[in-house]
Amino acid sequence: MRPWTAATALALAAATVQAQTTPSEPPKLPPILQGVDLDKPAQVAFAEWPAAPYIERLYPTPWSPATFERARLFGQPIMLYLGVPWSAPARKMLRESFSDATVLRELNAKYITVVVSADRRPDVRERYQTGSWPVISLLLSNGMPMLTQNNPQKVALPINFGYTSPENTRLLLSEGRIYFEKWAGLLGGVADIYKDRLRVDPPEAAALEPSASDSLARWLVGNADARLGGFGAAPKYVLPWLAEYASLRDDRGRADLAPIARRTLVQLVASPMWDDAEGGVRRLAAAPDWGEIQREKMLTGNAELLRDLVFALRREPSPELRGAVEGIARFLTQRLARPSGGGFRNAAFPDENGTLQVDPLVLSGPNALAGAALLRAGALLGDPALEKAGREAVELVLAKAYAAGRGVGHVVEPNPEQHRFLVSQADCAFGLVDAYESTGDVRYLDAAASLAEFVTANMFQGSEVAARDFLPIEPTAGLLSSPRWPMPDNVLLARTMTRLAIHGRGDVWRPRASGLVGAFGRDPSAYYTRGIDVGVALEELGRDPLVVTIDGDPSDPATRALRRAALNLRPAWVVVRNGKPDAPPAASIARGSGQGRRVTDPAALARAAEESR
């Protein structure tokens, strides 16, 4: 009898191929079988198969139910790689350790590899991040962390590591697999205990406490760096809403934060965090003197700083701060701009050769906020090109991410996903309502209201008083089954709701906004500098805004001139809304719902605002 060779084993499959070819044409084998000697017995032919190129490469799988089911069926642990393309250590880890043949052999033989972009999946980032990039976490088959007491604290903690050499990576993977095989049964129960330890209680309903803003301001004043600006020693980074918060307090006679906010902005744009050559602000400074810069420049941070600079310049002119507004606008429109169609990409960063690269990821929330900030910057500088760029970014979100009644997708491109995250809904809703005030385009107001309604209907569970951070669209795994109620996103949504009430979109919105802010606002200083988010919301809910109602066709140049003047009024708490579109261009300005004073000259608007205070 002829020996059973590899060629014999493939005969049936080859017959199908031969039936579709000419008799003289040899069967074509798939590339994965190249190098296999089909004349040898199968045991010999496949003894060293698959070839190195197939076992010495990375096989990333997504965070998905199918991946965790596969891990369960095969009894395999999971290696989670959580990273971002703009991080130098994360790129180095991929370039070195996860390109090393011995590491990849160890990984592919003993783990299922899950690769997650932290920017695309904020839900995974929130639960598995460690404070640096990348995060390498060894997980059980169900996505729960493998735990060990082999740490200085001698308590059960996840097995995580960041950038490390190929040799150390291989050792950690090998030891992790041995640990998994020895203690798999016990580790599952310990992981459940760890999950309970991490459990976060939902925010509780509480009455709105406007005085909490004063206690937050005292904390900020007490922790301000009087010499270098900012708060505390280090790190230092963009603090969203700081100048706006200080201006809101100053308008009601509380000038405690105004000089601190001003000094912080001046110091920041004079520090190494600021890019003199290209414009824009870098991600953070790790040293107290604004040194040890992390050089990535993010769309989010630059959009936040741009808005705050505009609010600072509404109070008092400054050549330095005006130059920073122009520099951020230049960076956004020249470096981060998508090649066509408007909108902005996620980040710019220097590669290993010092060449500036751009992360092509386009996210909905940062684009909505950047678009709204550029509309305000264009009105401040009298620059129609910036207004156009801002509007195009908002239009991109409306066209490619938003669906009426279904919320807004997190990723615009590439490869949009169906996930619905609270951060996206909150950022887009606020950016859209702000863009409505800058343009008078009622579509933006409609979309903002739709997003607020979507969150209210879908992201509050039972009697909870705050929205959860994501809407499940598939079975959750690992720590994703532990709910989170992020303060910044809930409070920003509340600020949108406050504006929806003022714009006449329903009496229900103001009590909802008060409920959200009350749930987080008893002690804003507990959030440290992020408490500024709560402080701004408290100030807005605590007093009526100056409401400017603009009559006239929003596209009429005279109407646009009145709107620009309204956007640049000195008071911080100003809401601009549409009046009668078929009436002659005019502006009516009043405090809250009071009777407004009517003006037709943009230059007279500032005087009318002072008289209405």
Side-chain angles (χ1 to χ4, degrees):
M1 177 180 292
R2 290 183 60 193
W4 183 265
T5 66
T8 308
L10 293 170
L12 292 177
T16 303
V17 176
Q18 289 173 338
Q20 300 171 357
T21 60
T22 61
S24 60
E25 187 177 341
K28 294 180 179 179
L29 300 178
I32 196 171
L33 292 178
Q34 289 179 2
V36 176
D37 187 345
L38 299 182
D39 289 327
K40 293 181 178 178
Q43 299 91 326
V44 177
F46 288 98
E48 297 183 0
W49 183 90
Y54 298 103
I55 58 174
E56 295 173 1
R57 54 163 285 192
L58 198 63
Y59 287 93
T61 56
W63 184 285
S64 70
T67 296
F68 293 105
E69 180 64 13
R70 174 185 166 195
R72 187 189 67 80
L73 287 172
F74 288 97
Q76 291 277 75
I78 291 168
M79 189 212 74
L80 169 65
Y81 173 92
L82 179 65
V84 287
W86 41 264
S87 164
R91 294 194 306 275
K92 188 175 182 181
M93 187 82 174
L94 289 173
R95 188 174 65 251
E96 295 180 358
S97 295
F98 290 126
S99 295
D100 181 86
T102 57
V103 169
L104 291 169
R105 283 177 176 269
E106 188 78 24
L107 182 62
N108 292 330
K110 298 178 179 178
Y111 292 86
I112 289 176
T113 303
V114 173
V115 175
V116 175
S117 163
D119 289 328
R120 296 180 72 98
R121 292 297 301 266
D123 53 341
V124 179
R125 178 185 65 208
E126 167 62 24
R127 292 159 176 82
Y128 290 89
Q129 66 184 340
T130 61
S132 61
W133 302 116
V135 178
I136 312 299
S137 187
L138 303 188
L139 309 180
L140 302 175
S141 305
N142 61 2
M144 292 297 293
M146 272 198 255
L147 303 173
T148 178
Q149 293 183 326
N150 186 20
N151 53 66
Q153 295 88 347
K154 300 301 179 184
V155 296
L157 294 174
I159 302 176
N160 296 328
F161 56 97
Y163 168 77
T164 188
S165 68
E167 294 77 12
N168 202 38
T169 301
R170 185 173 64 253
L171 175 63
L172 289 168
L173 292 174
S174 176
E175 292 297 315
R177 177 64 194 223
I178 293 170
Y179 185 64
F180 172 79
E181 290 176 349
K182 184 175 182 180
W183 300 107
L186 178 62
L187 287 172
V190 174
D192 288 337
I193 296 173
Y194 174 76
K195 179 182 172 182
D196 289 339
R197 197 170 82 211
L198 290 183
R199 184 174 62 85
V200 178
D201 291 328
E204 297 179 355
L208 202 64
E209 291 285 351
S211 62
S213 177
D214 294 331
S215 64
L216 170 65
R218 286 193 294 272
W219 184 90
L220 290 169
V221 170
N223 286 274
D225 186 333
R227 185 172 66 90
L228 296 172
F231 301 89
K236 294 188 172 177
Y237 44 82
V238 172
L239 293 174
W241 323 114
L242 175 60
E244 190 170 352
Y245 179 48
S247 299
L248 285 163
R249 291 184 56 78
D250 194 19
D251 283 341
R252 66 177 181 93
R254 302 289 194 273
D256 44 7
L257 282 176
I260 295 171
R262 192 85 175 183
R263 181 171 62 248
T264 295
L265 287 177
V266 169
Q267 294 278 30
L268 188 153
V269 302
S271 77
M273 276 186 64
W274 181 257
D275 185 347
D276 288 319
E278 193 177 51
V281 66
R282 298 180 173 104
R283 196 163 68 92
L284 64 83
D289 63 351
W290 301 90
E292 297 182 25
I293 301 300
Q294 296 191 7
R295 308 188 72 82
E296 305 88 8
K297 295 193 292 183
M298 312 300 297
L299 174 59
T300 297
N302 278 275
E304 291 169 343
L305 180 59
L306 181 59
R307 178 186 173 89
D308 227 32
L309 288 167
V310 168
F311 273 80
L313 288 168
R314 280 167 53 176
R315 311 294 287 186
E316 182 183 342
S318 162
E320 295 83 4
L321 299 187
R322 185 182 179 93
V325 169
E326 294 168 346
I328 291 177
R330 184 172 67 253
F331 167 66
L332 296 184
T333 57
Q334 294 183 9
R335 176 61 70 176
L336 287 191
R338 293 172 66 241
S340 63
F344 306 103
R345 294 169 290 183
N346 189 46
F349 55 92
D351 65 13
E352 289 63 43
N353 300 315
T355 304
L356 202 63
Q357 304 293 331
V358 177
D359 176 8
L361 184 65
V362 178
L363 301 175
S364 59
N367 267 275
L369 294 176
L374 279 169
L375 283 164
R376 286 187 174 271
L380 178 79
L381 301 179
D383 189 339
L386 294 189
E387 292 176 310
K388 180 175 182 290
R391 187 149 189 169
E392 286 176 344
V394 177
E395 288 290 338
L396 175 72
V397 172
L398 211 57
K400 292 200 170 186
Y402 166 74
R406 294 168 50 203
V408 67
H410 182 64
V411 177
V412 176
E413 64 183 27
N415 305 319
E417 298 171 347
Q418 296 304 310
H419 295 93
R420 294 295 187 261
F421 300 114
L422 179 61
V423 63
S424 310
Q425 317 309 312
D427 286 353
C428 287
F430 188 85
L432 284 162
V433 76
D434 200 54
Y436 161 71
E437 295 189 22
S438 296
T439 65
D441 192 328
V442 74
R443 294 178 303 139
Y444 302 156
L445 183 61
D446 291 340
S450 175
L451 292 178
E453 290 164 356
F454 173 81
V455 173
T456 302
N458 294 283
M459 303 186 80
F460 287 76
Q461 294 271 326
S463 60
E464 292 173 359
V465 298
R468 296 192 177 194
D469 67 329
F470 72 96
L471 179 65
I473 61 173
E474 59 192 16
T476 55
L479 295 178
L480 261 65
S481 59
S482 298
R484 297 287 188 275
W485 300 266
M487 178 276 289
D489 307 329
N490 273 284
V491 168
L492 188 59
L493 181 68
R495 295 179 63 195
T496 299
M497 292 174 172
T498 302
R499 286 159 172 77
L500 291 175
I502 297 166
H503 287 303
R505 288 307 177 105
D507 295 336
V508 68
W509 292 117
R510 189 174 183 89
R512 285 179 180 172
S514 297
L516 271 176
V517 178
F520 294 98
R522 282 171 291 184
D523 181 16
S525 63
Y527 302 107
Y528 304 102
T529 53
R530 282 315 310 240
I532 294 169
D533 298 62
V534 182
V536 173
L538 286 168
E539 294 289 338
E540 291 177 346
L541 282 165
R543 63 198 300 255
D544 289 331
L546 202 62
V547 177
V548 184
T549 304
I550 308 288
D551 289 338
D553 181 350
S555 64
D556 186 322
T559 308
R560 290 204 302 269
L562 286 165
R563 191 177 296 276
R564 290 191 189 101
L567 292 170
N568 292 324
L569 291 174
R570 188 177 189 277
W573 190 204
V574 176
V575 171
V576 185
R577 65 184 185 186
N578 288 359
K580 300 175 182 177
D582 53 352
S588 176
I589 186 165
R591 175 68 61 184
S593 58
Q595 186 66 33
R597 177 180 170 184
R598 190 176 175 84
V599 299
T600 57
D601 180 5
L605 202 58
R607 184 171 63 254
E610 284 298 313
E611 295 171 356
S612 301
R613 293 185 64 176

